[in-house]
Amino acid sequence: MKSDLRSIASLRLTVPLLSAAMLLVYFGTIAQSGQDILAVQRDYFRCFVIWSSGMTLFPGYRINFPVKIPVPGGYVIGGLMLINLLAAHAVRFKLSWKRVGIIAIHLGIILILLGELFTGMFAVEMQMAIQEGQTNSVAQDVRHPELIVIDTSNPLHDTLIAVPQSRLLPGKVITDSRLPFEIRVERYYRNSRLVGPMEKVPPTVVHATAGQHANRLIAELPDELSLEKVNFPSAYLRLSRGDQDLGLWLVSIHLTEQTIKVGDKTYRIGLDFRRYQKPYSLTLVDFEHDKYPGSNIARQYASRVILRDPQRNERREAEIYMNHPLRYRGETFYQAGAPMADTTVLQIVDNPAAILPYIACILVGGGMILHFVPNLVTFLRRRQA
């Protein structure tokens, strides 16, 4: 057992892992010259395997492979580095005052690795759009659409059943005891657009046979993954209840929810971005959107809001602008955009691991001081003697 730990803790493993991490950071950084940062995060750092079709050695110079080659992704390299470091402390590093600096540095590195892992797993990014004079307490996660079925039969409250995008696979049959019908996904478009009434209809376009949007048509668009663009998914769903065929329904982010009557109950069905009802509300008092003269390039966004939280008896006025976010209840509010002159879009980030990089930096910086300063003092004294 101990010999196995020594092998895992070996510097012969540490050096190749550090080299692989440096190469991953290098190629991931170079890739940002042609890809959005979200796509680079997904394809390089937050994955187990990179299926590489080539290497961009530097911007404008790329080597293409004849076939895709599997390369370890960020989760594999980071996980192996973490195991190697923990094994090294188990068999090689002993706790002593002389080692405090090294231990602090390594603890900081461990927190950096865990912080990135937890951020990728648990961080939620939402958006909240508010028009001047209006109040909003609902945020949406525009990266996670879902199919929603709402039971409206109870006069006191609605019952919502949400089906995440990951289950909306073509050919998949979705059954749930809470659903009043069975759903077969005929087609799912991660990104789509409405076909105009005068537009020539491609032969591949599907026609729905039921629902209030049976006369609408949808065309598929390429998948988008970037900070600037959002996918607008659509789906064709075959609904059935027992042997009864309820028809082919078109649901889309572009379209409103539709009503369907099953038995003596009425339901609403549609596609929407995942919603979060907040315990607080934001009222937009004023929104400034300055542009550089003669262009549409934003020079500054600024939103003056009133935050109200009845649960905490909180009321405060705050200004949110570039590099000046608002922080409340563990969430951070950034100024994200301005779809209209009087409407702001705030990016809300809920990241339970946000504090870890700060603690890691303090540990690494303090550890370096504790480890190197005494050695420097000793060296200078010897030199003077």
Side-chain angles (χ1 to χ4, degrees):
M1 178 70 180
K2 198 163 185 178
S3 62
D4 293 338
L5 268 181
R6 288 190 181 281
S7 300
I8 296 173
S10 172
L11 283 174
R12 293 177 181 176
L13 180 60
T14 305
V15 173
L17 287 174
L18 285 174
S19 302
M22 292 171 65
L23 289 173
L24 181 67
V25 171
Y26 174 78
F27 287 115
T29 304
I30 291 295
Q32 290 182 45
S33 62
Q35 289 180 267
D36 188 86
I37 188 170
L38 291 181
V40 172
Q41 280 183 344
R42 178 195 62 187
D43 296 342
Y44 286 80
F45 301 107
R46 292 178 181 172
C47 64
F48 291 95
V49 178
I50 304 167
W51 288 95
S52 176
S53 60
M55 290 190 304
T56 302
L57 298 180
F58 47 84
Y61 186 77
R62 177 179 173 81
I63 299 175
N64 292 315
F65 301 144
V67 294
K68 287 189 175 182
I69 299 174
V71 179
Y75 284 156
V76 171
I77 295 174
L80 291 176
M81 288 178 66
L82 184 59
I83 293 170
N84 175 253
L85 190 53
L86 292 174
H89 276 273
V91 301
R92 195 161 60 238
F93 295 108
K94 303 300 179 187
L95 184 61
S96 67
W97 285 110
K98 289 184 178 179
R99 295 283 187 182
V100 167
I102 288 290
I103 292 172
I105 293 170
H106 286 175
L107 186 57
I109 294 172
I110 291 172
L111 285 183
I112 289 174
L113 294 172
L114 292 178
E116 167 56 22
L117 177 64
F118 292 156
T119 297
M121 293 176 64
F122 302 118
V124 178
E125 294 188 7
M126 301 155 277
Q127 288 189 352
M128 180 182 287
I130 320 172
Q131 196 171 15
E132 274 183 347
Q134 291 188 342
T135 301
N136 196 356
S137 60
V138 177
Q140 289 184 310
D141 183 349
V142 297
R143 307 293 173 195
H144 292 92
E146 56 190 15
L147 173 68
I148 54 173
V149 179
I150 305 172
D151 181 356
T152 60
S153 58
N154 192 322
L156 299 179
H157 62 83
D158 292 341
T159 302
L160 186 145
I161 304 150
V163 181
Q165 178 180 240
S166 58
R167 296 184 64 189
L168 300 175
L169 304 175
K172 186 177 180 62
V173 177
I174 300 169
T175 56
D176 191 307
S177 58
R178 298 170 300 167
L179 288 172
F181 39 68
E182 187 177 273
I183 301 171
R184 178 182 173 83
V185 183
E186 298 291 346
R187 294 196 183 189
Y188 183 76
Y189 303 146
R190 297 181 69 88
N191 195 15
S192 63
R193 67 174 178 84
L194 285 172
V195 177
M198 305 300 291
E199 193 173 343
K200 196 175 215 178
V201 179
T204 55
V205 166
V206 179
H207 295 260
T209 61
Q212 292 85 65
H213 301 312
N215 60 337
R216 305 304 299 267
L217 296 174
I218 289 290
E220 188 174 14
L221 291 177
D223 187 12
E224 298 278 3
L225 182 60
S226 72
L227 291 173
E228 306 295 333
K229 297 180 181 177
V230 175
N231 279 337
F232 292 90
S234 300
Y236 287 94
L237 308 174
R238 174 74 63 184
L239 306 184
S240 61
R241 181 181 174 86
D243 296 332
Q244 183 185 5
D245 184 5
L246 301 175
L248 183 64
W249 291 66
L250 167 64
V251 292
S252 173
I253 289 286
H254 295 287
L255 302 172
T256 57
E257 295 166 1
Q258 305 169 77
T259 57
I260 176 172
K261 191 163 185 181
V262 181
D264 58 348
K265 289 187 177 181
T266 301
Y267 299 85
R268 296 204 310 269
I269 182 171
L271 266 183
D272 203 351
F273 295 121
R274 186 178 297 170
R275 295 185 181 186
Y276 296 87
Q277 180 67 52
K278 298 296 180 183
Y280 54 81
S281 65
L282 291 176
T283 301
L284 181 62
V285 178
D286 186 40
F287 179 54
E288 295 180 7
H289 179 196
D290 297 334
K291 299 178 182 177
Y292 287 102
S295 74
N296 288 323
I297 301 174
R299 186 177 65 179
Q300 178 180 331
Y301 298 124
S303 301
R304 191 154 57 88
V305 299
I306 296 177
L307 185 150
R308 295 183 179 88
D309 189 341
Q311 292 181 0
R312 296 185 175 181
N313 198 24
E314 177 89 19
R315 185 193 183 282
R316 73 165 80 161
E317 188 166 335
E319 193 168 15
I320 305 169
Y321 51 89
M322 292 180 185
N323 301 321
H324 189 270
L326 167 68
R327 290 183 171 84
Y328 185 69
R329 278 184 178 259
E331 297 177 341
T332 308
F333 303 74
Y334 299 94
Q335 183 63 60
M340 291 184 284
D342 63 345
T343 303
T344 185
V345 176
L346 301 177
Q347 186 87 8
I348 306 173
V349 179
D350 182 4
N351 182 7
I355 192 67
L356 292 185
Y358 298 101
I359 299 174
C361 289
I362 292 172
L363 285 171
V364 171
M368 292 179 74
I369 292 172
L370 289 173
H371 184 71
F372 291 112
V373 169
N375 290 334
L376 178 63
V377 171
T378 303
F379 170 76
L380 292 175
R381 283 178 178 171
R382 286 179 181 172
R383 192 173 180 183
Q384 289 175 353

